[in-house]
Amino acid sequence: MNTFVASPGFDVSRLKGTTLILPSVSIGNVPQLTIDLLLATLKLDRVGCIEDENVVPVLGPADSVLDPMTPSTIRKNNNVAAPAATRAEATGPALALAVEVFQSKDGKWTLIQQRSPTVHHRSHHYTDNLIQFIKESGFGQVVLLTSADGARRIDIQLQAGTPPVRFISSPKLSKELVEETIQGQLGIVPLEDVPATEDQKREAIIRRQEHFLAMHHHQASSSAALTEQVEEMQLDETQPEQQQQQQQLEKVPRIPSGGIARRLHSLCQEQDIAILTLIKFAMEGDNAPDAIFLANVLNAIFKLHSSTEQEALQGEGSWKVPKSWDSLYGNSFHQDMYH
């Protein structure tokens, strides 16, 4: 189900052909922090939200991202005067929701920011809804940002001289982008496929069974019918639907602590959607440097933003830190305590 809700006056057809950049809630929240940097720097317009029951609902004050539905924009889009209620809403304080959608003023980039995790055992449903939104919107390509547990790297991923980032690409993605830019110019290699351990296989089976039961719970007319469904399920997973999904998923390398990234990438490949997944190795802690690194990689590939001469002279780089980062890790210690 497509759960996208457009802002008043926004034409949904403007999503078609744009590049969608979205995060997977993963270790260190690196992808979400990266989206924060993009939103603060590129000053995108908020064009809607995703109202999905599978995401934990949140509401809070927004950063200084401008909502395009101001009275002047509404008049321009509709050639009518903005209603009084809309004018009052537009001049009030901005609020941030759990999942919001933004778009650049030139119409090239569409971004999703997710500020809360999915409900326990409901990530499959959220991924399915995202795929429906991506298909119906007709995006030109999808860029999925995620992070992987740095403590679970294998030997080759620890070698010096290789950047702490990997990628996965779908067959529909431009070969020029992959071979010349990502691999050739930046030296980023594809994510290595690490075989799953027996424990990981067992955990994956249990998660898929829980997802299957959640999907079919409403079809059971009684608790007895649901119990019968449970008894019919085997650990070897003889269900054709589950077997097909697992075969598709096995085509994508595992991403430890990567959230929905692996399944979302798999579904995009299955639907012939061009998708690039960027994976940053990270660990829990102060992940702001990881987010800046991933933003720089993203910018090197797609040229979203270039720093001004003044920013370069001041050593600020090309990214503006959002106001919300002021309280991201609490107050710093007073330096006098170290003397």
Side-chain angles (χ1 to χ4, degrees), residues 128 189 319:
D128 292 340
V189 299
W319 305 112

Side-chain angles (χ1 to χ4, degrees), residues 29-64:
N29 301 112
V30 176
Q32 297 156 283
L33 295 174
T34 303
I35 295 293
D36 271 348
L37 292 173
L38 298 178
L39 293 177
T41 304
L42 303 180
K43 299 189 183 302
L44 308 185
D45 294 329
R46 183 170 53 193
V47 298
C49 66
I50 292 179
E51 286 191 0
D52 200 304
E53 64 180 2
N54 304 297
V55 180
V56 177
V58 297
L59 180 68
D63 275 316
S64 57

Side-chain angles (χ1 to χ4, degrees), residues 7 13 47 50 55-56 77 93 97 128 138 146 150 152 174 186 191 199 205 218-219 221 235 282 289 294 306 328:
S7 295
S13 64
V47 298
I50 292 179
V55 180
V56 177
N77 291 343
L97 304 176
D128 292 340
T146 188
R152 296 172 64 180
S174 166
L186 301 179
L191 179 65
D199 288 341
I205 291 174
H218 68 280
Q219 298 176 2
S221 57
L235 285 178
L294 187 56
S306 59
L328 194 60

Side-chain angles (χ1 to χ4, degrees), residues 110 115 120 174 187 283:
T110 301
R115 297 185 175 88
H120 193 47
S174 166
M283 300 179 72

